[in-house]
Every structure is written in structure tokens, then in C-alpha cells.
């Protein structure tokens, strides 16, 4: 069912902290919820749909709904596809609003991986009951090593280079210098990336995203409500989601589930990739961006390296501005889940609220995409296309 | 370099359950077994009671030759107690499995390299499969 422009993103909030040792996770969820409601010009009493993922403490949405004081909710969703969950939540919220099941949806994300000592080199123990983990536990699959194998295979099949991957980080760092809240604000060169320590071949430390505390929230509403609010109306035009794994042993690391999800989003939005001038692309690692660019159709499979080199992702310089907040690579990757901040920066761009140094002028359409879980083993993916209509 | 990489890395143990115990009993005898589906004739991995290719529950265990080639790999150099080489090995039976490469020079690994299964005890004594490079 198409949402036929029947849902709008009316509120966004990114927590300004990057280290929050004295907050609880529930408290961070609440702070971002109130931040997004205030941004929209709504109150908690208006909310009738609530969405959260595995970062929310307690059982699904139940504990956080209670903590927040939400009453008489008519729609709940705790779909968890890792860092892409929040893009999926926007898709689900838009469809729930389109079919009249709720009118004002709140989506929250928060966590404290920085304060809790999390690292991308560690096995994520929350997946211990998964049937695959029974076989994979001896080999310590972690975000870094499984994404690294995708990069290694991409280099082998298509001749992609470490220099090309480095350009993705360089572009993110150019944007992060303008974001006072970014964890890493230094502008990097390709050499800086290549000279950072090798963590898991071929990924260097600088090919990796940051680890940060805090979170973000979104408000998705019916267009009738959006029209009554102060902010520019940002309308959902198309969305797609999917998952991909090892396919019974027919492993192919060269593409993501976005190869299935993105065409549906573009078809629904009645747009093509060449009409997109700003994209928020989930950047857990540089290779994550490169594979998504191909799967989204910005270039052909295998040509991602050439697409990103020489600053082509830098706002005002390249052909596609990406992650103008500095992305997960430099700014923020709260709760080890970057999908939320992808939507937030896409909405800022459409509203004209991005930093002037990175604002894409007269932007009509924006895309946000995400990969959650591990690209090299099994993951969820989602793409959203939004417009200032 | 080579000797340094041969430091025995005590691997975490697999999780044994009723659906996979035949696999781990075979590993204990230095045998790699796979599941094939009697309905669609496809081999799959990781082994399941129900075929992920066609949905049939008529799946049976077969012996693998334990030879294949490296589909992709990485060397986990930092953030772990002992560096290790992780790989997807594509077996002759046309399925790829996540594994480690055994006792090799990290800088000599390449995609397409031929490998042979070996078995190593994990922390609780259960053996698991690794692959050594066939030069």
C-alpha cells in the first residue's frame, strides 16, 4: 500500500551529548522524545503511536511507553533491524498513519555504548540465541571483521582501493568541521585515513564510525497536522525495506538488502537516483557507504569507488552531498545505531536547517538509507525518500 | 611472523543444540558434515532441519571433502587478545562458511587460495573447523 504522501516528518531531535555517563538509557530516550515534540510544536499528550527498537530498555515499547507516561496509544512497533530500525520505523509509521491507525507517531533511540566501553571489535552478545551464532561463535564475528570481508571482496571483484574508501571519510570530516557537537571535528586527508592503524584488513581505524552515547527522536504525523505546525512540511514519498543474510551458504558480499529495498522506494516516490542531490547514507564503515551507493542506483555495481573519489560526496563540491552533519564516521553514532541521525540530517537539509556551509540550496528531495546488523553476515536495510512538497 | 601467528588462540566454544549436534559430534571426530536436501538436492550451510532453499524437512547429513577456496578474508589485528585471520571459505560443495584460517602467515593470504579443513579444540574441549592454506 502506498502512503501517497499521506505522512510527514514533523519533528526531529539529536541529543547534543556524545558522552553521557550520568544519564540512564531511559532518561536519554525521554530527553530526545521531548526534544522532537518541542521541535514539532506538539506535546506528549498528542502522541498515539510509539516506535522503538532493541536499544530501548525493557520489553519492546512497553517499559518506555510507561516511563514516558504515554497513555491510550493506538499503534506500537518495536521492529529491530539494528541501526536501520529507525528508517524502518518511519516507513511503518507513515503506513500506519496512511491507513488511519495513528496520527502522531513518536520514534526514539538512545544508548550509552561509549560510557559502557563498547567497541566494533567485540562480538555483540545480544545475538547469542540466534541459530547462526551457534556455528559462528568460535570465530568471534564482530562488526569490524565482517564488514572488512565485504570490503576485501569488493576490492577483489571490482578493483576498489583503500584510497577510494578513504575519500568517504574525508568527505564526512569536511562536513563535521562545521558541526559543533561532532565527536571528531578535524578535517582529514586520504593520507590521514591510510596512515591510521589497520584494525581489520583492509579497514583502518579511520574507516570506522565513532562510538557515542545519547540518541535522537522523530515525530511522524498526518499531513493535516503537519500543515498546522510551524516547521516546513516534509512529506514521505517512498520507502522500502528488506533483509539479507548468507542465503543458505550462497554468500555474496558484494551487495546489500538495499538492492531489493531501494528500487521499491524509488518506484513509490516516482523518482530516480539522478534527481537526488542530498543523501544520508548509513556510515558504520566507509565500505557500508560505498555498497549502498551502488545498491541505491547512484552508480553501477562495482563503480562505487570511482563515484566517491576526489571529494564527490562533499557538499558544494561533489555530485552528491552526503551526511552533512559529519555522519556516523565523524559526528555521532548513538547506541551503535546510526539510522536515526540519517533521517534527522535529511530533514534538516529539506527544511534548510543544515549548517550554511553544507546546506544544499533549494533542495526538493532527500534520501536516507541504512544497513543494520552486519553487512557481512546478516542485516536489515531500509531506504526513505522524502520531499519538501 | 609465522611462529607468532601460531600462538594457539583458545576459540570460544560453539553452542550445541538438538538441531546441530550431529555436526558437532562429527567435528569431534575431525569430520566436516553438511546438510543436503532430498527434495531440491541443494546443499546448505549453516545446517538446519528445514532446507532454506525449498522448505523441505527431508534434509540429511553428508560428508564434506573439506576442501575449497577463500571467498573473502580479513586479519583482525587490533582490539582482540590474539590477532586472527577470519574468512569465508567456499567449499567444493558450493556453499560458503564463516571460519578462521589456521596457523598461516597473515600477509600470504589471498582470495581464491585453496584451503583444507583442520579441527581445533575450543575452550570447553569441543572441536571446531578451521582451514589451512594449501600452498
Amino acid at each position: 500500500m502506498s502512503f501517497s504522501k499521506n505522512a510527514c516528518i514533523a519533528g526531529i531531535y539529536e541529543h547534543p551529548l556524545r558522552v553521557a555517563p550520568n544519564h540512564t538509557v531511559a532518561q536519554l530516550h525521554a530527553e530526545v522524545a521531548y526534544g522532537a515534540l518541542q521541535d514539532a510544536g506538539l506535546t506528549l499528550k498528542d502522541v498515539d503511536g510509539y516506535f522503538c527498537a532493541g536499544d530501548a530498555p525493557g520489553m519492546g515499547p512497553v517499559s518506555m511507553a510507561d516511563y514516558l507516561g504515554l497513555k491510550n496509544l493506538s499503534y506500537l512497533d518495536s521492529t529491530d533491524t539494528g541501526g536501520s530500525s529507525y528508517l524502518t520505523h518511519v516507513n511503518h509509521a507513515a503506513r500506519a498513519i496512511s491507513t488511519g491507525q495513528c496520527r502522531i507517531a513518536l520514534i526514539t533511540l538512545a544508548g550509552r555504548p561509549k560510557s559502557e566501553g563498547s567497541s566494533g571489535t567485540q562480538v555483540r552478545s545480544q545475538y547469542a540465541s540466534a541459530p547462526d551464532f551457534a556455528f559462528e561463535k568460535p570465530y568471534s564475528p564482530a562488526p569490524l571483521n565482517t564488514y572488512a570481508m565485504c570490503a576485501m571482496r569488493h576490492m577483489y571483484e571490482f578493483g576498489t582501493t583503500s584510497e577510494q574508501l578513504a575519500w568517504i571519510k574525508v568527505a564526512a570530516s569536511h562536513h563535521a568541521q562545521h558541526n559543533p557537537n561532532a565527536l571528531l571535528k578535524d578535517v582529514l586527508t586520504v593520507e590521514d585515513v591510510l596512515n591510521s592503524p589497520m584494525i581489520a584488513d583492509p579497514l583502518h581505524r579511520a574507516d570506522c564510525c565513532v562510538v557515542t552515547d545519547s540518541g535522537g527522536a522523530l515525530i511522524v504525523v498526518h499531513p493535516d497536522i503537519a500543515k498546522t505546525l510551524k516547521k516546513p512540511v516534509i512529506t514521505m514519498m517512498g520507502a522500502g525495506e528488506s533483509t539479507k543474510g548468507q542465503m543458505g551458504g550462497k554468500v555474496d558480499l558484494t551487495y546489500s538488502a538495499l538492492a531489493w529495498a531501494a528500487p521499491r522506494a524509488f518506484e513509490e516516490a516516482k523518482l530516480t537516483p539522478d534527481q537526488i542531490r542530498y543523501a544520508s547514507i548509513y556510515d558504520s564503515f566507509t565500505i557500508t557507504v560505498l555498497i549502498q551507493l551502488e545498491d541505491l542506483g547512484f552508480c553501477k555495481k562495482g563503480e562505487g569507488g570511482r563515484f566517491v573519489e576526489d571529494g564527490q560526496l562533499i557538499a558544494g563540491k561533489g555530485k552528491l552531498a552526503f551526511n552533512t552533519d559529519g555522519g556516523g564516521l565523524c559526528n555521532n553514532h548513538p547506541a551503535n545505531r546510526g539510522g536515526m541521525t540519517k533521517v534527522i540530517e535529511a530533514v534538516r537539509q529539506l527544511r534548510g536547517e543544515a549548517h550554511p556551509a553544507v546546506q544544499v540550496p533549494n533542495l526538493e528531495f532527500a534520501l536516507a538509507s541504512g544497513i543494520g546488523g552486519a553487512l557481512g553476515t546478516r542485516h536489515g536495510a531500509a531506504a526513505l525518500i522524502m520531499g519538501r512538497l | 611472523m609465522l611462529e607468532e601467528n601460531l600462538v594457539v588462540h583458545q576459540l570460544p566454544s560453539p553452542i550445541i543444540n538438538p538441531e546441530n549436534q550431529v555436526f558437532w559430534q562429527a567435528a569431534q571426530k575431525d569430520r566436516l558434515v553438511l546438510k543436503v536436501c532430498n527434495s531440491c538436492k541443494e546443499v546448505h550451510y549453516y545446517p538446519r532441519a528445514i532446507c532454506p532453499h525449498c522448505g523441505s524437512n527431508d534434509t540429511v547429513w553428508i560428508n564434506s571433502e573439506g576442501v575449497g577456496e577463500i571467498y573473502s578474508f580479513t586479519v583482525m589485528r587490533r582490539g582482540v587478545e590474539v590477532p586472527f585471520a577470519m574468512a569465508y571459505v567456499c567449499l567444493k560443495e558450493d556453499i560458503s562458511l564463516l571460519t578462521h584460517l589456521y596457523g598461516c602467515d597473515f600477509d600470504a593470504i589471498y582470495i581464491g587460495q585453496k584451503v583444507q579443513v583442520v579441527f581445533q579444540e575450543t575452550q570447553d574441549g569441543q572441536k571446531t573447523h578451521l582451514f589451512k592454506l594449501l600452498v
Side-chain angles (χ1 to χ4, degrees):
Chain A
M1 179 184 297
S2 168
F3 25 75
S4 316
K5 305 186 177 69
N6 276 333
C8 301
I9 302 179
I12 55 171
Y13 185 74
E14 180 182 10
H15 204 291
L17 293 180
R18 298 293 177 267
V19 188
N22 299 319
H23 281 67
T24 66
V25 174
Q27 181 184 6
L28 289 167
H29 273 268
E31 289 184 5
V32 296
Y34 280 100
L37 285 164
Q38 187 178 18
D39 177 70
L42 294 165
T43 71
L44 199 77
K45 288 190 177 63
D46 300 316
V47 173
D48 59 0
Y50 179 55
F51 296 68
C52 61
D55 53 283
M59 181 177 68
V62 174
S63 282
M64 276 317 305
D66 185 36
Y67 180 103
L68 287 164
L70 291 164
K71 295 184 192 75
N72 197 20
L73 293 170
S74 60
Y75 203 84
L76 304 165
D77 186 332
S78 57
T79 302
D80 194 353
T81 56
S84 62
S85 302
Y86 319 94
L87 299 137
T88 298
H89 291 168
V90 172
N91 181 24
H92 295 185
R95 293 184 203 280
I97 290 165
S98 290
T99 54
Q101 296 171 77
C102 63
R103 285 175 64 81
I104 298 178
L106 166 67
I107 306 168
T108 64
L109 153 87
R112 309 187 328 136
K114 182 111 181 147
S115 293
E116 289 162 7
S118 170
S119 160
T121 61
Q122 297 164 352
V123 178
R124 297 276 154 88
S125 59
Q126 67 265 39
Y127 306 124
S129 64
D132 43 81
F133 195 64
F135 292 90
E136 295 177 357
K137 180 170 165 252
Y139 313 109
S140 302
L144 250 155
N145 50 39
T146 53
Y147 279 83
M149 287 196 292
C150 298
M152 193 67 91
R153 185 69 195 185
H154 206 279
M155 290 177 165
Y156 173 80
E157 287 204 27
F158 307 116
T160 306
T161 65
S162 289
E163 288 78 4
Q164 290 171 331
L165 289 176
W167 271 110
I168 296 168
K169 177 75 161 202
V170 169
S173 77
H174 272 263
H175 300 151
Q177 67 178 315
H178 305 292
N179 182 347
N181 293 328
L183 189 76
L184 307 177
K185 296 186 199 63
D186 291 342
V187 174
L188 300 183
T189 63
V190 167
E191 289 67 35
D192 291 334
V193 177
L194 300 185
N195 290 335
S196 68
M198 187 68 84
I199 309 292
D201 307 32
L203 298 180
H204 307 79
R205 178 175 289 157
D207 285 297
C208 307
C209 66
V210 299
V211 176
T212 50
D213 297 342
S214 84
L218 299 166
I219 308 291
V220 187
V221 305
H222 192 279
D224 291 348
I225 294 163
K227 283 173 204 149
T228 69
L229 303 172
K230 300 188 299 282
K231 295 280 182 175
V233 176
I234 308 305
T235 303
M236 283 299 302
M237 299 177 66
E241 61 189 57
S242 200
T243 68
K244 178 172 169 270
Q246 294 169 334
M247 301 185 291
K250 309 291 184 190
V251 173
D252 187 337
L253 298 182
T254 62
Y255 70 97
S256 74
L258 265 188
W260 299 322
R264 294 197 280 269
F266 278 108
E267 188 184 353
E268 189 173 38
K270 298 186 175 63
L271 291 173
T272 52
D274 59 307
Q275 292 174 279
I276 303 291
R277 293 187 294 134
Y278 173 80
S280 288
I281 300 185
Y282 196 173
D283 50 351
S284 47
F285 301 95
T286 51
I287 185 64
T288 323
V289 175
L290 190 122
I291 286 180
Q292 284 173 93
L293 285 167
E294 296 170 346
D295 293 341
L296 288 161
F298 287 107
C299 59
K300 286 187 188 150
K301 182 51 65 184
E303 293 180 0
R306 285 187 293 284
F307 185 86
V308 302
E309 65 190 1
D310 299 327
Q312 289 300 326
L313 299 178
I314 300 175
K317 289 183 185 158
K319 57 195 159 211
L320 178 72
F322 105 120
N323 299 6
T324 41
D325 58 338
L329 287 169
C330 297
N331 168 32
N332 196 10
H333 193 232
N336 293 329
R337 290 161 171 261
M340 173 65 72
T341 44
K342 295 294 152 293
V343 183
I344 290 172
E345 183 66 6
V347 172
R348 286 193 196 113
Q349 277 284 352
L350 285 168
R351 286 178 174 179
E353 291 179 356
H355 189 282
V358 296
Q359 176 68 50
V360 179
N362 307 314
L363 192 64
E364 258 187 300
F365 312 119
L367 177 144
S369 73
I371 303 286
L375 187 57
T377 53
R378 47 200 70 77
H379 62 273
L384 306 178
I385 299 170
M386 297 149 268
R388 182 167 176 168
L389 303 178
Chain B
M1 187 67 184
L2 189 59
E3 278 179 27
E4 194 180 310
N5 296 348
L6 280 167
V7 170
V8 176
H9 180 202
Q10 273 282 301
L11 299 174
S13 301
I15 302 162
I16 301 171
N17 62 42
E19 199 177 351
N20 69 26
Q21 61 183 346
V22 169
F23 181 90
W24 297 113
Q25 285 163 357
Q28 213 62 357
K29 296 173 191 160
D30 293 350
R31 280 173 42 229
L32 180 65
V33 295
L34 303 171
K35 269 283 184 91
V36 67
C37 174
N38 276 333
S39 181
C40 72
K41 312 298 180 196
E42 288 269 5
V43 177
H44 70 259
Y45 190 87
Y46 56 92
R48 298 131 156 106
I50 296 170
C51 173
H53 299 301
C54 77
S56 168
N57 61 7
D58 188 8
T59 58
V60 290
W61 295 99
I62 55 165
N63 286 310
S64 166
E65 289 186 45
V67 294
E69 59 179 53
I70 295 172
Y71 171 79
S72 194
F73 72 97
T74 186
V75 179
M76 195 71 184
R77 295 181 189 269
R78 287 174 172 255
V80 288
E81 270 181 47
V82 182
F84 58 80
M86 173 184 273
Y88 271 113
V89 165
C90 186
L91 295 176
K92 213 171 163 184
E93 293 84 358
D94 198 27
I95 58 92
S96 295
L97 46 76
L98 187 76
T99 186
H100 279 189
L101 300 173
Y102 174 79
C104 60
D105 177 353
F106 291 156
D107 297 322
I109 307 165
Y110 59 90
I111 288 176
Q113 198 165 15
K114 300 278 186 280
V115 291
Q116 164 83 49
V117 73
V118 293
F119 291 86
Q120 182 178 305
E121 275 190 14
T122 60
Q123 282 163 359
D124 72 0
Q126 170 63 47
K127 286 186 181 178
T128 195
H129 51 282
L130 289 81
F131 285 78
K132 66 176 182 187
L133 308 183
L134 293 175
V135 183

